[in-house]
Short mmCIF file of all heavy atoms in Angstrom, two decimals:
data_model
loop_
_atom_site.label_atom_id
_atom_site.label_comp_id
_atom_site.label_asym_id
_atom_site.label_seq_id
_atom_site.Cartn_x
_atom_site.Cartn_y
_atom_site.Cartn_z
N GLY X 422 -12.39 -23.01 -10.71
CA GLY X 422 -13.80 -23.38 -10.49
C GLY X 422 -14.57 -22.31 -9.73
O GLY X 422 -15.81 -22.27 -9.78
N GLN X 423 -13.87 -21.44 -9.01
CA GLN X 423 -14.55 -20.41 -8.21
C GLN X 423 -14.79 -19.11 -8.97
O GLN X 423 -15.45 -18.21 -8.48
CB GLN X 423 -13.69 -20.08 -6.98
CG GLN X 423 -14.05 -20.90 -5.76
CD GLN X 423 -13.13 -20.58 -4.60
OE1 GLN X 423 -12.37 -21.44 -4.20
NE2 GLN X 423 -13.21 -19.38 -4.03
N ILE X 424 -14.18 -19.00 -10.15
CA ILE X 424 -14.20 -17.70 -10.83
C ILE X 424 -15.62 -17.26 -11.19
O ILE X 424 -15.94 -16.07 -11.15
CB ILE X 424 -13.24 -17.71 -12.05
CG1 ILE X 424 -11.81 -17.70 -11.50
CG2 ILE X 424 -13.47 -16.50 -12.97
CD1 ILE X 424 -10.71 -17.61 -12.51
N SER X 425 -16.49 -18.22 -11.45
CA SER X 425 -17.88 -17.85 -11.79
C SER X 425 -18.58 -17.15 -10.63
O SER X 425 -19.59 -16.46 -10.82
CB SER X 425 -18.67 -19.09 -12.21
OG SER X 425 -18.64 -20.01 -11.13
N GLU X 426 -18.07 -17.31 -9.41
CA GLU X 426 -18.70 -16.66 -8.24
C GLU X 426 -18.20 -15.23 -8.03
O GLU X 426 -18.68 -14.51 -7.17
CB GLU X 426 -18.39 -17.47 -6.96
CG GLU X 426 -18.96 -18.87 -7.00
CD GLU X 426 -18.39 -19.77 -5.91
OE1 GLU X 426 -17.85 -19.25 -4.91
OE2 GLU X 426 -18.48 -21.00 -6.07
N ILE X 427 -17.17 -14.84 -8.81
CA ILE X 427 -16.52 -13.54 -8.58
C ILE X 427 -17.28 -12.44 -9.34
O ILE X 427 -17.48 -12.53 -10.55
CB ILE X 427 -15.05 -13.58 -9.07
CG1 ILE X 427 -14.24 -14.63 -8.30
CG2 ILE X 427 -14.40 -12.21 -9.00
CD1 ILE X 427 -13.86 -14.27 -6.90
N ILE X 428 -17.66 -11.40 -8.60
CA ILE X 428 -18.21 -10.19 -9.26
C ILE X 428 -17.05 -9.35 -9.77
O ILE X 428 -17.10 -8.79 -10.87
CB ILE X 428 -19.07 -9.38 -8.26
CG1 ILE X 428 -20.28 -10.22 -7.81
CG2 ILE X 428 -19.53 -8.07 -8.89
CD1 ILE X 428 -21.10 -9.57 -6.70
N GLY X 429 -16.01 -9.25 -8.98
CA GLY X 429 -14.84 -8.49 -9.40
C GLY X 429 -13.85 -8.33 -8.27
O GLY X 429 -14.10 -8.75 -7.14
N THR X 430 -12.73 -7.71 -8.61
CA THR X 430 -11.69 -7.46 -7.61
C THR X 430 -11.32 -5.98 -7.65
O THR X 430 -11.62 -5.28 -8.63
CB THR X 430 -10.45 -8.32 -7.89
OG1 THR X 430 -9.49 -8.13 -6.84
CG2 THR X 430 -9.78 -7.95 -9.21
N THR X 431 -10.71 -5.52 -6.58
CA THR X 431 -10.12 -4.18 -6.60
C THR X 431 -8.64 -4.34 -6.31
O THR X 431 -8.25 -5.30 -5.65
CB THR X 431 -10.74 -3.27 -5.53
OG1 THR X 431 -10.36 -3.76 -4.24
CG2 THR X 431 -12.26 -3.22 -5.63
N GLU X 432 -7.82 -3.44 -6.80
CA GLU X 432 -6.38 -3.55 -6.53
C GLU X 432 -5.85 -2.22 -6.02
O GLU X 432 -6.08 -1.17 -6.60
CB GLU X 432 -5.63 -4.01 -7.79
CG GLU X 432 -4.12 -4.04 -7.66
CD GLU X 432 -3.56 -4.77 -6.44
OE1 GLU X 432 -3.87 -5.95 -6.24
OE2 GLU X 432 -2.81 -4.15 -5.64
N GLU X 433 -5.10 -2.33 -4.92
CA GLU X 433 -4.66 -1.16 -4.17
C GLU X 433 -3.37 -0.55 -4.68
O GLU X 433 -3.17 0.66 -4.60
CB GLU X 433 -4.49 -1.61 -2.70
CG GLU X 433 -3.81 -0.65 -1.75
CD GLU X 433 -4.71 0.49 -1.31
OE1 GLU X 433 -5.90 0.51 -1.68
OE2 GLU X 433 -4.21 1.36 -0.58
N THR X 434 -2.44 -1.39 -5.19
CA THR X 434 -1.08 -0.87 -5.32
C THR X 434 -0.48 -1.06 -6.72
O THR X 434 -0.94 -1.90 -7.49
CB THR X 434 -0.17 -1.51 -4.24
OG1 THR X 434 1.00 -0.73 -4.09
CG2 THR X 434 0.22 -2.94 -4.58
N THR X 435 0.53 -0.25 -7.02
CA THR X 435 1.17 -0.26 -8.35
C THR X 435 1.61 -1.67 -8.74
O THR X 435 1.37 -2.12 -9.86
CB THR X 435 2.41 0.66 -8.34
OG1 THR X 435 2.09 1.87 -7.64
CG2 THR X 435 2.88 0.99 -9.73
N THR X 436 2.27 -2.37 -7.81
CA THR X 436 2.77 -3.72 -8.10
C THR X 436 1.62 -4.65 -8.51
O THR X 436 1.75 -5.44 -9.44
CB THR X 436 3.48 -4.28 -6.84
OG1 THR X 436 4.65 -3.48 -6.62
CG2 THR X 436 3.88 -5.73 -7.00
N GLY X 437 0.49 -4.53 -7.82
CA GLY X 437 -0.66 -5.36 -8.15
C GLY X 437 -1.21 -5.04 -9.53
O GLY X 437 -1.63 -5.93 -10.28
N ILE X 438 -1.20 -3.76 -9.87
CA ILE X 438 -1.70 -3.34 -11.20
C ILE X 438 -0.78 -3.90 -12.29
O ILE X 438 -1.23 -4.39 -13.33
CB ILE X 438 -1.81 -1.80 -11.29
CG1 ILE X 438 -2.85 -1.27 -10.29
CG2 ILE X 438 -2.13 -1.34 -12.72
CD1 ILE X 438 -4.27 -1.78 -10.51
N VAL X 439 0.54 -3.86 -12.04
CA VAL X 439 1.49 -4.42 -13.01
C VAL X 439 1.19 -5.91 -13.21
O VAL X 439 1.16 -6.42 -14.34
CB VAL X 439 2.94 -4.19 -12.52
CG1 VAL X 439 3.95 -4.96 -13.37
CG2 VAL X 439 3.27 -2.70 -12.52
N ARG X 440 0.91 -6.62 -12.11
CA ARG X 440 0.59 -8.06 -12.23
C ARG X 440 -0.73 -8.26 -12.97
O ARG X 440 -0.85 -9.17 -13.79
CB ARG X 440 0.49 -8.69 -10.84
CG ARG X 440 1.83 -8.88 -10.18
CD ARG X 440 1.65 -9.51 -8.80
NE ARG X 440 1.78 -10.95 -8.81
CZ ARG X 440 1.57 -11.71 -7.73
NH1 ARG X 440 1.20 -11.16 -6.58
NH2 ARG X 440 1.71 -13.02 -7.79
N LEU X 441 -1.73 -7.43 -12.67
CA LEU X 441 -3.03 -7.57 -13.36
C LEU X 441 -2.87 -7.34 -14.86
O LEU X 441 -3.49 -8.04 -15.67
CB LEU X 441 -4.05 -6.58 -12.79
CG LEU X 441 -4.65 -6.89 -11.42
CD1 LEU X 441 -5.53 -5.73 -10.95
CD2 LEU X 441 -5.47 -8.18 -11.43
N ARG X 442 -2.03 -6.38 -15.23
CA ARG X 442 -1.81 -6.12 -16.67
C ARG X 442 -1.19 -7.34 -17.33
O ARG X 442 -1.53 -7.70 -18.46
CB ARG X 442 -0.92 -4.89 -16.87
CG ARG X 442 -1.63 -3.61 -16.49
CD ARG X 442 -1.08 -2.37 -17.23
NE ARG X 442 -1.86 -1.22 -16.81
CZ ARG X 442 -1.44 -0.29 -15.95
NH1 ARG X 442 -0.21 -0.33 -15.47
NH2 ARG X 442 -2.23 0.70 -15.59
N ALA X 443 -0.26 -7.99 -16.61
CA ALA X 443 0.37 -9.20 -17.16
C ALA X 443 -0.67 -10.33 -17.29
O ALA X 443 -0.68 -11.08 -18.27
CB ALA X 443 1.54 -9.64 -16.28
N MET X 444 -1.60 -10.42 -16.32
CA MET X 444 -2.66 -11.43 -16.40
C MET X 444 -3.57 -11.16 -17.61
O MET X 444 -3.97 -12.07 -18.32
CB MET X 444 -3.54 -11.39 -15.13
CG MET X 444 -2.85 -11.87 -13.89
SD MET X 444 -3.95 -11.60 -12.47
CE MET X 444 -2.75 -11.58 -11.13
N LEU X 445 -3.86 -9.86 -17.81
CA LEU X 445 -4.72 -9.47 -18.93
C LEU X 445 -4.03 -9.83 -20.24
O LEU X 445 -4.64 -10.41 -21.15
CB LEU X 445 -5.00 -7.97 -18.84
CG LEU X 445 -6.07 -7.39 -19.73
CD1 LEU X 445 -7.43 -8.00 -19.43
CD2 LEU X 445 -6.16 -5.87 -19.55
N ARG X 446 -2.74 -9.51 -20.31
CA ARG X 446 -1.97 -9.81 -21.53
C ARG X 446 -1.97 -11.31 -21.81
O ARG X 446 -2.08 -11.75 -22.95
CB ARG X 446 -0.53 -9.30 -21.32
CG ARG X 446 0.35 -9.35 -22.55
CD ARG X 446 1.82 -9.28 -22.17
NE ARG X 446 2.15 -10.35 -21.22
CZ ARG X 446 2.95 -10.24 -20.18
NH1 ARG X 446 3.55 -9.10 -19.91
NH2 ARG X 446 3.19 -11.26 -19.37
N ASP X 447 -1.90 -12.12 -20.75
CA ASP X 447 -1.87 -13.58 -20.93
C ASP X 447 -3.27 -14.18 -21.07
O ASP X 447 -3.43 -15.40 -21.11
CB ASP X 447 -1.15 -14.24 -19.75
CG ASP X 447 0.35 -13.97 -19.78
OD1 ASP X 447 0.84 -13.44 -20.80
OD2 ASP X 447 1.04 -14.28 -18.79
N GLY X 448 -4.29 -13.31 -21.07
CA GLY X 448 -5.67 -13.79 -21.31
C GLY X 448 -6.28 -14.53 -20.14
O GLY X 448 -7.25 -15.28 -20.31
N VAL X 449 -5.76 -14.34 -18.92
CA VAL X 449 -6.30 -15.11 -17.78
C VAL X 449 -7.15 -14.26 -16.83
O VAL X 449 -7.76 -14.80 -15.92
CB VAL X 449 -5.15 -15.80 -16.98
CG1 VAL X 449 -4.48 -16.85 -17.85
CG2 VAL X 449 -4.14 -14.79 -16.44
N LEU X 450 -7.19 -12.95 -17.08
CA LEU X 450 -8.02 -12.10 -16.21
C LEU X 450 -9.43 -12.07 -16.82
O LEU X 450 -9.71 -11.30 -17.74
CB LEU X 450 -7.43 -10.69 -16.12
CG LEU X 450 -8.17 -9.73 -15.17
CD1 LEU X 450 -8.12 -10.22 -13.73
CD2 LEU X 450 -7.60 -8.32 -15.25
N THR X 451 -10.31 -12.89 -16.28
CA THR X 451 -11.61 -13.09 -16.93
C THR X 451 -12.75 -12.45 -16.14
O THR X 451 -13.90 -12.82 -16.29
CB THR X 451 -11.87 -14.60 -17.10
OG1 THR X 451 -11.72 -15.22 -15.81
CG2 THR X 451 -10.91 -15.23 -18.09
N PHE X 452 -12.41 -11.51 -15.27
CA PHE X 452 -13.44 -10.78 -14.51
C PHE X 452 -12.97 -9.33 -14.34
O PHE X 452 -11.79 -9.04 -14.58
CB PHE X 452 -13.71 -11.45 -13.15
CG PHE X 452 -12.47 -11.83 -12.39
CD1 PHE X 452 -11.83 -10.93 -11.56
CD2 PHE X 452 -11.91 -13.10 -12.54
CE1 PHE X 452 -10.69 -11.27 -10.89
CE2 PHE X 452 -10.75 -13.45 -11.86
CZ PHE X 452 -10.14 -12.54 -11.03
N PRO X 453 -13.87 -8.43 -13.94
CA PRO X 453 -13.47 -7.02 -13.83
C PRO X 453 -12.58 -6.75 -12.62
O PRO X 453 -12.79 -7.32 -11.55
CB PRO X 453 -14.79 -6.26 -13.68
CG PRO X 453 -15.88 -7.25 -13.76
CD PRO X 453 -15.31 -8.62 -13.70
N ALA X 454 -11.60 -5.88 -12.83
CA ALA X 454 -10.70 -5.47 -11.74
C ALA X 454 -10.69 -3.95 -11.69
O ALA X 454 -10.44 -3.29 -12.70
CB ALA X 454 -9.29 -5.99 -12.02
N MET X 455 -11.00 -3.39 -10.53
CA MET X 455 -11.01 -1.93 -10.38
C MET X 455 -9.61 -1.46 -9.97
O MET X 455 -9.06 -1.92 -8.95
CB MET X 455 -12.02 -1.49 -9.32
CG MET X 455 -13.47 -1.84 -9.63
SD MET X 455 -14.08 -1.12 -11.17
CE MET X 455 -13.96 0.61 -10.82
N ASN X 456 -9.07 -0.53 -10.74
CA ASN X 456 -7.71 -0.02 -10.51
C ASN X 456 -7.76 1.15 -9.53
O ASN X 456 -7.83 2.32 -9.92
CB ASN X 456 -7.14 0.42 -11.87
CG ASN X 456 -5.74 0.96 -11.76
OD1 ASN X 456 -5.23 1.21 -10.67
ND2 ASN X 456 -5.11 1.14 -12.91
N VAL X 457 -7.74 0.82 -8.25
CA VAL X 457 -7.78 1.86 -7.21
C VAL X 457 -6.49 2.68 -7.22
O VAL X 457 -6.51 3.90 -7.06
CB VAL X 457 -8.04 1.21 -5.83
CG1 VAL X 457 -7.81 2.21 -4.70
CG2 VAL X 457 -9.46 0.66 -5.77
N ASN X 458 -5.37 1.99 -7.46
CA ASN X 458 -4.08 2.69 -7.38
C ASN X 458 -4.02 3.94 -8.24
O ASN X 458 -3.46 4.96 -7.85
CB ASN X 458 -2.93 1.76 -7.79
CG ASN X 458 -1.59 2.44 -7.66
OD1 ASN X 458 -1.15 2.74 -6.55
ND2 ASN X 458 -0.94 2.73 -8.78
#
Side-chain angles (χ1 to χ4, degrees):
Q423 268 177 247
I424 288 184
S425 59
E426 298 167 19
I427 299 285
I428 297 173
T430 184
T431 67
E432 175 50 56
E433 169 77 4
T434 198
T435 317
T436 294
I438 296 299
V439 170
R440 286 180 94 185
L441 285 174
R442 290 205 179 105
M444 291 174 202
L445 192 62
R446 188 199 56 219
D447 289 350
V449 294
L450 183 63
T451 54
F452 46 87
M455 298 300 297
N456 180 349
V457 168
N458 183 67

